[in-house]
Amino acid sequence: MTDNKLMILHTTNALFIIRCITKYLIEIENELALLEQMNFRSDEANLELDKETGSNFDNLKSQNDYSTDSSTASPKRLYNPNKNYRMSKSKSNHESALLDSQENSFGNESDSDMPQNNDLVESNSKKHENILYMLIKNIIQLCTEVPVKSYTYNLHLEALNTVLILLSSQMYSKTPANESLIFDTFMQKMDRFVSDFVRVLLKNLIQQMPPPSNIHNLSSYLSNEEQNQRSFVSSVASGLWSVMTFGFGSAKTSTDQSNQEDESEKSFLSNLSNDSSNQNQDEQLDCSSRYLAWQSCHILLVLSNNCTNESLYNPYRLALFHFTDTQNTPTNLPNSEPLPWFSIDFSKLFQMFTQTVHTDQYSLLLYMLIHRNQHFKMFILSRLQIDSLVMPLLKVIFTAPERNSHHIYMTLIIILILSEDDIFNKTIHTITIKKLIWYTERSLSEISLGGLLILVLIRTIQFNMTRMRDKYLHTNCLAALANMSSKFQNLHPYVCQRINSLFNMLTRKRTKIITQINEENSKSDADKNETVSKDLLQDLSIIEELMKMVLEIINSCLTNNLHHNSDLVYSILYHKSIYLQFRDHPTFQDLTQNIDTVITRFSHEIESVEDKTIENLREIITMGAKQFSRERFRKFPELKFKYVEEDQPEDFFVPYVWSLVYKYSNLYWIDHTIDLFNSPNNNR
C-alpha cells in the first residue's frame, strides 16, 4: 500500500472526512452523540441483534475466555509492550461488550490474518464491530507501520489531526478523562501498539521533517499511469487537495520526489548538529511550520498528562518515562523500570530540544522527561556541551515579558531540576560564553555560563517584584540559586554587584513596608483598614523570607568557596553598610555573622594598605582568601531544594496542554462550547 499513491490519497481524503464529521459532532453535540453515530444500526439490524446477542455473544465470550466479572478487575497494571493485556470490567451495555469482544477477536494479528473458517467470529465482526475501536486501532497502526515519506506526509498529518480531534472531546466536556469512552479506548485497548506509537511520535519530533515542497496538487502527486486512470471525481478532488495541503509548494515529478523522499531527515539532522556546535543564539527553529512534529508533540502531551493518578493506567505516560538510549546499554537507575520498553537516540533527541525549547510545547515535554525519565535526565547531566540546552532556556526566561507565564514556570522548574545535581552546578562555571547578543542589560564580552545563569535569575526576581509579585516564582528562582551557591566560582564582578544589589533592593522594600505599617498603625481606629494592615504584614513576612534566603546563598558561597570568589568579597566590602545594619537584628543576626566575619577580617587588611587601587585591593583579597581558615565560619546546614510535583498535576497540566492545542495546532475550534477552560480551577 505504501507505494500505491492513489490509495494513500484516498485514505488521506477519507481521514479528512472522518475528522470533519467527528469534529462537528464533538463540538456541536458531545462524545455520546459521536458514539451513537458510529454504532448506529437500522431497526432491522437492531431486531436481528436482539435475537442473536443472547446466544452468539455468549458463545463469542466463552470462546475468547473473557470475563466481565467486576471482582476480577485490576485498577493498575504493569505494562509489557509484547503482551496484549485486557482489563476486566463490568459492562452492561452492548457497546462495551462488543468493544471487549472486538479486542479479543483481533488479538495480536492484523485484520487480514483473522481466521476465515470461524463463522461465528466472522459474523459478529461484520455485524457488531465497534467502529471507535477499529478507527483508533487502524490510525495508530497506520502511524506505526506506514513510513514517513514525502508522499505519505499528509497521510500521517491527517491521521494525527484525527487523533487530536478524537481526544478533543475533553475540551467540550466536564467529564474526567478516565470516564470518557474515547480515552478509555486509547488507554485500555491499545496496549500492544503503545510502545511503537510513542516511539514513532518521538521519532517525528527528532526528524522535524518540513512539509514536502513537491506536493501542491493532485496532478503532481500521482504518477503518469495513475493520472490516466483518474475519473472526473478525481479531477474535482485535485482542487480540494490543493486546499488541504496548505499550499506546501510547487509541483515536481514523481521521479524527483522518489529521489528526495529520504533526504529531508538527513539534511535536517545534519543542520541541527551544525547549529548546536556553532551555538548560534539568534536562530531558532520555526517549530509550528513542522506540522508533523508539531502535532506529534501535542498528542504526546495530551495522552501523557491525563490519567496521572496512580490508581489509573496510562501506558503512554509509562512508555514516555521509561524509554532508553539506543547508543548505550540500558542500566537500571533509581525510580526507573527494570526493563526498557523501547529505545531512542538520546543524542538526537537532545539536539532537537536545543532548537525547540523556546516553545511552550517542547519546554513542557522536556520538563516531563527530565522530571520523570531518569535515563534521559542522566544523559543530559552528562553532556559536556550543556550550554547548548541551558542558553536557550535562559533566553526564554530573559524575555519573560514576551512569554506565556506557564512557559516561564516550566523553564524555571527545568533549571531547578538541573540545579539539584552538583556536577551540573560545577560544570556551568567552567563553560565560557562569548559574544552574548540577547542579554541587553549590559555588554558582556565574556562570562561563565554559571554567572549568566545567576544574572538571569536575579533579573527575574527583580522584575517579578515590580510587576508580577508572584511568590512561587521568587521561590523557584531562589531555590535554584541556593542549590548552585556552594559551587559558585570565579564570579564575574557584575554578577557579584547584582547579588548585592538584590539584597539592597529587598532591604529598601522592607523599609518601605515597615513605614507603611507604622503609618497605618498611627491612624485612629475608625480610619484603620484591617485588610490593608494584613496585606502589609503578609508582604513584610515574604520580603524577610526572601532576604533570609539571599543571606543563606551568600553564606553558602563564602563558607564553601571563599578562595574562588575574591570579587564577591570585594563587592561585599564595597556594600558592607547594607549588611552591618542587620548585625544585631534578631531575625538576621545569625545569617549575617559569617558575612560580618569576612567584612571585619578583610577591612582590617585593606586599611593597612597605602596603594588602594582596585587591582591591588583585589590581589590582597585573593591572597587573604587563600589563607583564610574555614574553621572561623559558623556552620549551617547544606542548602538543597528539590522540586516536587503537586498532588493533582492534572488540574494544571490538562488545561495548559489543551490551551496550547487550541492556540497553536493549526486547527479551528469552536470556542463558545468549550467547558474545560471555564472550569473554576483553571485560568486560561
Side-chain angles (χ1 to χ4, degrees):
M1 170 190 168
T2 58
D3 293 330
N4 188 333
K5 296 180 178 61
L6 184 59
M7 178 64 72
I8 291 172
L9 172 63
H10 289 331
T11 306
T12 306
N13 288 338
L15 282 172
F16 174 74
I17 295 171
I18 291 172
R19 171 164 69 88
C20 292
I21 296 173
T22 301
K23 187 173 183 293
Y24 175 83
L25 290 172
I26 288 176
E27 291 180 335
I28 303 302
E29 297 291 336
N30 50 41
E31 179 182 318
L32 181 60
L34 172 65
L35 298 176
E36 288 176 351
Q37 291 297 323
M38 284 187 171
N39 295 282
F40 173 78
R41 297 182 181 87
S42 63
D43 293 339
E44 293 80 0
N46 284 329
L47 180 62
E48 184 179 356
L49 174 64
D50 291 337
K51 293 179 181 179
E52 296 181 357
T53 299
S55 57
N56 290 353
F57 186 65
D58 290 340
N59 292 336
L60 182 61
K61 289 197 296 182
S62 62
Q63 196 172 38
N64 287 281
D65 192 22
Y66 187 82
S67 173
T68 58
D69 185 1
S70 61
S71 64
T72 63
S74 173
K76 183 179 180 182
R77 303 169 295 169
L78 294 177
Y79 172 60
N80 184 338
N82 298 318
K83 182 176 180 180
N84 179 24
Y85 285 100
R86 296 186 297 271
M87 176 174 283
S88 301
K89 291 184 178 179
S90 177
K91 298 183 178 175
S92 57
N93 53 60
H94 291 319
E95 178 183 67
S96 299
L98 291 172
L99 185 62
D100 292 335
S101 65
Q102 193 61 241
E103 180 186 9
N104 288 308
S105 67
F106 282 105
N108 284 320
E109 299 176 309
S110 64
D111 298 341
S112 61
D113 295 331
M114 291 178 58
Q116 302 299 321
N117 57 351
N118 191 330
D119 295 336
L120 180 60
V121 174
E122 182 176 342
S123 173
N124 279 278
S125 65
K126 288 180 178 179
K127 295 180 181 179
H128 310 146
E129 67 182 9
N130 184 276
I131 305 301
L132 175 64
Y133 169 81
M134 290 297 298
L135 175 63
I136 295 174
K137 170 181 172 289
N138 287 324
I139 290 177
I140 291 179
Q141 281 188 305
L142 182 153
C143 293
T144 57
E145 296 178 8
V146 177
V148 179
K149 305 289 186 180
S150 60
Y151 57 87
T152 62
Y153 187 97
N154 290 280
L155 175 63
H156 279 269
L157 180 59
E158 199 58 55
L160 296 184
N161 284 339
T162 306
V163 170
L164 263 184
I165 293 299
L166 286 169
L167 296 173
S168 71
S169 62
Q170 186 177 35
M171 275 203 298
Y172 296 91
S173 172
K174 296 180 180 179
T175 304
N178 59 298
E179 297 179 12
S180 163
L181 185 57
I182 292 177
F183 272 86
D184 180 75
T185 305
F186 272 101
M187 299 295 175
Q188 309 294 345
K189 307 297 181 182
M190 300 294 145
D191 276 1
R192 64 184 182 273
F193 308 118
V194 166
S195 185
D196 286 338
F197 188 48
V198 174
R199 178 181 55 80
V200 166
L201 294 178
L202 287 172
K203 185 179 178 182
N204 289 342
L205 300 186
I206 292 173
Q207 291 180 356
Q208 291 290 322
M209 184 176 179
S213 59
N214 55 352
I215 298 181
H216 181 61
N217 53 42
L218 188 59
S219 61
S220 63
Y221 187 72
L222 302 174
S223 66
N224 293 330
E225 180 180 354
E226 289 165 337
Q227 289 183 49
N228 295 331
Q229 299 174 357
R230 285 188 299 159
S231 64
F232 173 76
V233 175
S234 297
S235 300
V236 175
S238 174
L240 294 176
W241 183 254
S242 63
V243 176
M244 291 169 53
T245 55
F246 306 105
F248 281 156
S250 57
K252 291 188 179 180
T253 63
S254 177
T255 304
D256 291 337
Q257 78 179 30
S258 299
N259 295 333
Q260 297 174 6
E261 63 193 15
D262 295 324
E263 295 301 320
S264 58
E265 176 186 355
K266 297 178 183 178
S267 176
F268 173 73
L269 292 177
S270 176
N271 293 334
L272 195 63
S273 178
N274 293 334
D275 289 344
S276 178
S277 61
N278 293 334
Q279 299 177 1
N280 194 325
Q281 300 166 10
D282 281 345
E283 292 185 7
Q284 293 177 328
L285 181 68
D286 182 10
C287 300
S288 61
S289 66
R290 309 299 174 101
Y291 302 110
L292 197 59
W294 199 233
Q295 301 300 59
S296 296
C297 188
H298 287 142
I299 291 173
L300 277 175
L301 293 177
V302 171
L303 289 174
S304 58
N305 280 290
N306 279 284
C307 302
T308 59
N309 192 290
E310 292 184 358
S311 63
L312 302 174
Y313 178 60
N314 186 334
Y316 305 91
R317 188 174 176 86
L318 294 175
L320 190 65
F321 294 165
H322 298 106
F323 68 85
T324 57
D325 188 8
T326 56
Q327 304 300 315
N328 296 311
T329 303
T331 56
N332 290 333
L333 299 171
N335 304 320
S336 67
E337 288 287 305
L339 294 176
W341 298 358
F342 65 90
S343 296
I344 287 289
D345 190 334
F346 278 2
S347 61
K348 292 181 180 179
L349 187 62
F350 176 80
Q351 290 175 6
M352 181 273 295
F353 277 122
T354 64
Q355 299 291 310
T356 58
V357 289
H358 61 281
T359 64
D360 289 77
Q361 289 86 337
Y362 287 100
S363 288
L364 179 54
L365 183 60
L366 177 62
Y367 153 76
M368 294 175 63
L369 292 179
I370 288 181
H371 181 45
R372 296 288 189 172
N373 191 312
Q374 294 297 312
H375 301 286
F376 189 61
K377 178 182 177 181
M378 295 305 297
F379 175 86
I380 287 181
L381 292 172
S382 66
R383 294 300 88 194
L384 296 177
Q385 294 183 337
I386 190 66
D387 55 312
S388 61
L389 178 64
V390 175
M391 287 291 286
L393 294 173
L394 294 183
K395 186 175 180 180
V396 168
I397 301 173
F398 185 82
T399 57
E402 307 169 8
R403 306 282 179 175
N404 185 323
S405 60
H406 293 337
H407 191 190
I408 304 302
Y409 272 110
M410 289 297 100
T411 307
L412 286 173
I413 292 173
I414 292 171
I415 295 294
L416 176 58
I417 294 173
L418 293 175
S419 72
E420 295 170 7
D421 184 76
D422 285 338
I423 297 177
F424 170 82
N425 296 333
K426 188 174 181 179
T427 301
I428 57 177
H429 290 285
T430 64
I431 299 175
T432 302
I433 305 298
K434 298 181 180 180
K435 297 180 180 179
L436 189 58
I437 300 174
W438 53 262
Y439 189 85
T440 56
E441 289 207 339
R442 176 165 175 166
S443 177
L444 297 171
S445 59
E446 185 175 308
I447 190 173
S448 69
L449 179 62
L452 180 61
L453 180 50
I454 296 170
L455 284 179
V456 172
L457 292 179
I458 290 177
R459 179 183 182 274
T460 304
I461 295 171
Q462 293 176 329
F463 174 82
N464 184 56
M465 290 191 65
T466 58
R467 304 281 185 88
M468 299 167 63
R469 304 184 66 184
D470 189 324
K471 175 184 175 182
Y472 296 103
L473 191 145
H474 289 324
T475 303
N476 286 333
C477 290
L478 288 173
L481 289 172
N483 285 344
M484 298 185 291
S485 60
S486 63
K487 304 298 180 183
F488 285 175
Q489 290 186 20
N490 303 316
L491 296 180
H492 192 282
Y494 180 61
V495 177
C496 301
Q497 176 188 331
R498 293 305 297 269
I499 293 174
N500 286 282
S501 66
L502 173 61
F503 186 74
N504 188 32
M505 184 189 71
L506 293 172
T507 59
R508 287 188 281 106
K509 188 78 172 176
R510 176 179 175 274
T511 301
K512 181 179 179 181
I513 294 175
I514 291 176
T515 302
Q516 292 174 336
I517 292 174
N518 292 334
E519 291 176 353
E520 192 68 25
N521 291 335
S522 64
K523 295 179 181 179
S524 62
D525 293 340
D527 296 331
K528 281 185 178 180
N529 189 325
E530 294 296 331
T531 303
V532 172
S533 298
K534 289 181 180 179
D535 290 343
L536 288 173
L537 289 173
Q538 184 178 8
D539 289 345
L540 179 62
S541 175
I542 293 173
I543 290 296
E544 289 187 343
E545 285 298 319
L546 296 177
M547 291 175 63
K548 289 166 67 175
M549 286 194 70
V550 174
L551 289 174
E552 288 176 343
I553 290 169
I554 297 174
N555 260 298
S556 176
C557 177
L558 294 177
T559 55
N560 289 281
N561 273 314
L562 177 66
H563 57 293
H564 285 308
N565 287 290
S566 57
D567 283 323
L568 179 60
V569 175
Y570 178 86
S571 185
I572 290 174
L573 292 174
Y574 187 82
H575 299 89
K576 63 182 178 181
S577 60
I578 64 175
Y579 299 102
L580 294 179
Q581 63 179 308
F582 298 105
R583 177 185 290 175
D584 300 321
H585 195 286
T587 304
F588 304 106
Q589 60 183 1
D590 290 343
L591 295 172
T592 58
Q593 182 176 334
N594 288 336
I595 299 175
D596 186 39
T597 300
V598 170
I599 292 174
T600 303
R601 164 65 187 274
F602 288 94
S603 294
H604 177 72
E605 291 190 5
I606 289 175
E607 287 174 0
S608 60
V609 177
E610 295 182 359
D611 183 10
K612 288 185 170 55
T613 60
I614 295 177
E615 292 76 13
N616 190 43
L617 291 179
R618 282 179 173 167
E619 184 178 349
I620 292 173
I621 292 172
T622 302
M623 294 298 296
K626 292 179 179 178
Q627 298 170 3
F628 191 89
S629 174
R630 294 176 57 184
E631 300 300 324
R632 299 181 60 180
F633 285 130
R634 179 176 177 176
K635 304 299 182 185
F636 288 96
E638 184 181 12
L639 280 180
K640 278 297 176 184
F641 293 86
K642 186 175 180 62
Y643 171 74
V644 178
E645 198 169 73
E646 295 289 342
D647 293 334
Q648 300 293 333
E650 288 186 43
D651 293 344
F652 170 79
F653 287 110
V654 169
Y656 177 34
V657 168
W658 277 114
S659 70
L660 296 178
V661 174
Y662 174 83
K663 294 176 184 177
Y664 304 116
S665 64
N666 299 313
L667 298 172
Y668 172 75
W669 306 95
I670 298 178
D671 55 2
H672 67 270
T673 58
I674 294 178
D675 291 326
L676 181 65
F677 301 149
N678 298 325
S679 172
N681 296 328
N682 306 321
N683 292 322
R684 211 177 120 195

